[in-house]
């Protein structure tokens, strides 16, 4: 069996991956808070962990991998967006929230589908697991790891000695400049909310029981949602937990603390993987800089999902990824070339061993793409096709966008061939060079060999620039 090695954030080293149960390899990845379109940074973990999901299915079998990615559909940001919508159009806040979250989930599915991501085995909505969250909170209270204060229930960070192990910081070091909510009812600045009160018109449920009665109507904190869903769907111990590096602290640190305290006999996730952030044209993606893109923005600008995926996979997941138009144009050019080769082959080959080995080495997607270039140079069309499909850079067939425009260039081909024949006789290639330059300017790829001349419309083909050449 292929050995997979993964860089475990918790141990800060690359380790051989050994699942708890090879017949049920289990992975949890933090999903989106559903109130708006997914931006490019949101999409990177989807693509990264889609590659890992495909690799695990390849090695252990599709029926032996369970992948869970949640939807956070109860959150202050959702409430705020819904109140803005309510102010503009009226209506019941809870009904608006349901419409908003349903619509955003549909958008998310459409955009991630366009990037070639398989949907996980399970996509739980947080609101479907409130009972499990309340139960976990009550268990934490009973074990002395949580306390009630002013209608809230908070986790006592000092009760978990290993807090900070994932991010490599001590509790005292984290307090200065930490991304935590300051509140007078906290025993410690790092204590985080497990349950909070809800206004009368906001989503709310009966809270955990405290001293024989409910703490009050409210809603869960963000961190407890993932812990409860992971426990319910994957168990107290499972194999892999993933997400963006921005979630390492406090979200993932808090998940570990509450989960390990709730289930001291379980280990929660054994391997932690975090992808780095996304830049645009060398700068941090920001609305103020005008370089903030949603996935839908890029798709509507004409960038195919396969091209976006290719650019993402060109950089190792633990390095910052820089989206540039130059990279996208090059990715489109390369994919068109590969598709033309792969179209000659049937689906009767396995993915290239070197591609699988590259991915097995801590998801080295840039090395896998290098191996695709090698297959292309060797003109191994069947293996290239199988490997493209394995990485989901190609589906069952070449996508429509990659087919060359339907245009008759036979007259220009004949003219250039005649000019070349004359040039070979006269030893003067000036006219050939002039025509070739005009063709290239029009986005036509010019291929000349002993066999003859071939003109192929490229991705930037502009037929208006051919006027006057015939």
């Amino acid at each position: 069996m292929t050995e997979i090695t993964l860089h475990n954030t918790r141990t800060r080293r690359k380790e051989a991956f050994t699942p708890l149960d090879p017949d049920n390899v289990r992975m949890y990845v933090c999903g989106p808070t559903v109130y708006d379109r997914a931006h490019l940074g949101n999409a990177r973990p989807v693509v990264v962990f889609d590659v890992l999901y495909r690799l695990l299915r390849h090695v252990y079998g599709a029926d032996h991998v369970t992948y869970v990615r949640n939807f956070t559909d109860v959150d202050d940001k959702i409430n705020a967006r819904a109140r803005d919508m309510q102010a503009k159009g009226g209506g019941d806040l809870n009904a608006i929230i349901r419409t908003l979250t349903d619509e955003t989930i549909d958008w998310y599915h459409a955009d991630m589908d366009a990037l070639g991501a398989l949907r996980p085995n399970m996509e739980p909505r947080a609101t479907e697991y409130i009972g499990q969250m309340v139960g976990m909170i009550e268990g934490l209270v009973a074990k002395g790891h949580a306390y009630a204060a002013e209608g809230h229930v908070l986790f006592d960070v000092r009760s978990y000695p290993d807090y900070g192990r994932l991010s490599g910081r001590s509790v005292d070091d984290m307090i200065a400049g930490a991304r935590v909510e300051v509140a007078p009812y906290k025993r410690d600045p790092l204590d985080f909310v497990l349950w909070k009160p809800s206004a009368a018109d906001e989503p709310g449920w009966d809270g955990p029981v405290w001293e024989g009665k409910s703490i009050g109507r409210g809603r869960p904190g963000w961190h407890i949602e993932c812990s409860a869903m992971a426990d319910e769907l994957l168990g107290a111990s499972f194999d892999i937990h993933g997400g963006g590096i921005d979630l390492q602290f406090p979200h993932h640190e808090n998940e570990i603390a509450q989960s390990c305290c709730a289930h001291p006999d379980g280990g929660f996730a054994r391997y932690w993987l975090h992808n780095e952030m996304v830049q645009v044209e060398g700068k941090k993606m920001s609305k103020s800089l005008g370089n903030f893109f949603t996935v839908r923005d890029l798709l509507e600008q004409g960038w195919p999902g396969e091209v976006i995926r290719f650019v993402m996979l060109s950089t190792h997941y633990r390095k910052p990824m820089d989206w540039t138009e130059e990279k996208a144009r090059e990715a489109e050019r390369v994919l068109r070339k590969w598709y033309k080769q792969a179209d000659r082959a049937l689906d009767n080959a396995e993915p290239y061993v070197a591609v699988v080995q590259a991915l097995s080495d801590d998801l080295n997607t840039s090395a896998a793409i290098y191996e695709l270039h090698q297959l292309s140079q060797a003109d191994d069309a069947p293996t290239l096709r199988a490997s493209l499909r394995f990485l989901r850079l190609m589906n069952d067939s070449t996508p429509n966008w990659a087919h060359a425009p339907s245009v008759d260039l036979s007259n220009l081909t004949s003219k250039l061939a005649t000019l070349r024949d004359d040039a070979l006789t006269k030893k003067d290639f000036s006219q050939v060079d002039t025509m070739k330059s005009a063709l290239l300017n029009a986005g036509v790829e010019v291929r000349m060999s002993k066999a003859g001349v071939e003109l192929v419309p490229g991705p930037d083909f502009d037929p208006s620039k051919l006027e006057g050449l015939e």
Side-chain angles (χ1 to χ4, degrees):
M1 180 178 287
T2 302
E3 181 180 76
I4 298 173
T5 59
L6 300 171
H7 185 273
N8 191 343
T9 306
R10 195 165 186 176
T11 61
R12 290 164 185 78
R13 65 175 184 267
K14 195 157 61 172
E15 301 175 350
F17 174 67
T18 305
L20 289 165
D21 178 4
D23 289 330
N24 185 19
V25 182
R26 287 161 286 167
M27 177 169 70
Y28 187 95
V29 175
C30 291
T33 300
V34 285
Y35 66 99
D36 206 349
R37 288 278 189 184
H39 57 69
L40 205 55
N42 301 140
R44 192 178 191 196
V46 174
V47 172
V48 166
F49 291 103
D50 177 67
V51 172
L52 179 55
Y53 183 36
R54 290 171 185 273
L55 176 64
L56 293 171
R57 285 160 57 97
H58 179 77
V59 173
Y60 293 97
D63 295 334
H64 300 295
V65 182
T66 303
Y67 175 18
V68 177
R69 185 182 65 220
N70 71 293
F71 288 116
T72 296
D73 62 343
V74 52
D75 185 84
D76 291 346
K77 293 179 180 178
I78 297 173
N79 292 350
R81 177 61 57 85
R83 287 198 183 282
D84 289 342
M85 296 168 67
Q86 185 185 46
K88 295 174 182 177
D92 175 72
L93 185 67
N94 283 272
I96 294 171
I97 287 172
R98 184 68 194 200
T99 299
L100 171 63
T101 55
D102 284 350
E103 181 179 46
T104 306
I105 289 172
D106 287 344
W107 289 345
Y108 187 83
H109 277 147
D111 292 345
M112 299 309 117
D113 288 351
L115 299 186
L118 289 168
R119 295 193 187 182
N121 301 97
M122 290 176 273
E123 296 182 286
R125 295 174 68 129
T127 52
E128 298 169 343
Y129 291 84
I130 300 296
Q132 288 84 348
M133 297 170 201
V134 169
M136 183 174 280
I137 293 169
E138 289 176 344
L140 289 169
V141 171
K143 292 181 175 72
H145 294 292
Y147 59 94
E150 298 185 23
H152 296 72
V153 180
L154 296 109
F155 184 85
D156 181 0
V157 166
R158 301 278 180 176
S159 74
Y160 181 60
D162 282 344
Y163 192 83
R165 181 180 168 191
L166 181 70
S167 51
R169 294 174 285 181
S170 71
V171 172
D172 292 328
D173 289 341
M174 287 186 221
I175 293 176
R179 291 166 52 196
V180 295
E181 179 186 358
V182 177
Y185 47 77
K186 288 186 176 185
R187 294 177 183 173
D188 189 284
L190 285 178
D191 290 352
F192 56 89
V193 172
L194 301 173
W195 190 262
K196 64 176 69 176
S198 288
D201 63 340
E202 292 177 336
W205 296 264
D206 290 337
V209 172
W210 171 261
E211 296 181 345
K213 63 180 181 179
S214 171
I215 191 71
R217 182 177 178 277
R219 59 188 186 275
W222 174 33
H223 312 299
I224 197 69
E225 295 177 8
C226 286
S227 285
M229 288 185 283
D231 174 64
E232 179 69 16
L233 299 174
L234 298 177
S237 298
F238 56 95
D239 297 302
I240 298 168
H241 195 313
I245 192 67
D246 56 316
L247 299 182
Q248 182 184 35
F249 179 83
H251 184 52
H252 289 165
E253 199 78 74
N254 293 352
E255 278 190 74
I256 291 171
Q258 62 202 7
S259 295
C260 289
C261 289
H263 304 288
D265 295 332
F268 199 44
R270 299 170 64 241
Y271 299 84
W272 286 83
L273 274 70
H274 293 92
N275 64 272
E276 262 292 350
M277 307 296 282
V278 170
Q279 300 174 330
V280 175
E281 302 290 347
K283 297 179 180 178
K284 181 179 178 181
M285 190 167 64
S286 166
K287 290 182 178 179
S288 63
L289 294 175
N291 65 350
F292 181 91
F293 296 110
T294 66
V295 174
R296 182 53 45 181
D297 288 336
L298 293 177
L299 293 170
E300 290 181 349
Q301 288 172 17
W303 295 114
E306 293 87 353
V307 169
I308 300 171
R309 186 179 178 97
F310 186 105
V311 174
M312 287 189 170
L313 297 185
S314 298
T315 302
H316 192 277
Y317 77 94
R318 288 195 296 112
K319 295 181 179 179
M321 190 213 89
D322 190 16
W323 169 271
T324 70
E325 288 208 8
E326 181 180 355
K327 287 182 179 179
R329 284 193 296 270
E330 176 62 13
E332 186 174 28
R333 184 193 68 78
V334 170
L335 286 173
R336 283 179 185 271
K337 175 185 174 183
W338 288 351
Y339 292 152
K340 187 170 183 179
Q341 291 176 289
D343 265 351
R344 305 197 311 262
L346 300 175
D347 293 322
N348 58 0
E350 291 294 317
Y352 189 28
V353 172
V355 169
V356 176
Q357 288 175 340
L359 298 182
S360 299
D361 182 13
D362 194 29
L363 296 185
N364 195 338
T365 53
S366 55
I369 288 176
Y370 169 81
E371 297 298 343
L372 294 180
H373 282 289
Q374 299 303 107
L375 288 171
S376 175
Q377 290 177 10
D379 202 21
D380 184 349
T383 310
L384 176 62
R385 180 183 180 89
S387 301
L388 285 168
R389 295 189 65 191
F390 179 54
L391 281 167
R392 194 36 184 89
L393 291 170
M394 180 180 184
N395 203 349
D396 295 335
S397 59
T398 296
N400 291 332
W401 64 264
H403 289 291
S406 179
V407 58
D408 183 4
L409 298 179
S410 58
N411 289 341
L412 291 173
T413 302
S414 297
K415 181 177 180 179
L416 183 58
T418 300
L419 289 176
R420 188 182 72 156
D421 290 343
D422 290 344
L424 289 169
T425 301
K426 299 175 181 177
K427 308 300 182 184
D428 180 4
F429 287 86
S430 57
Q431 288 184 292
V432 173
D433 292 339
T434 299
M435 185 172 181
K436 183 179 177 181
S437 177
L439 289 166
L440 293 172
N441 184 57
V444 177
E445 295 180 21
V446 180
R447 302 170 185 173
M448 293 190 290
S449 65
K450 292 181 179 179
V453 173
E454 183 182 10
L455 302 182
V456 180
D460 300 321
F461 177 61
D462 183 354
S464 67
K465 294 182 179 181
L466 296 177
E467 295 177 6
L469 280 181
E470 294 186 12

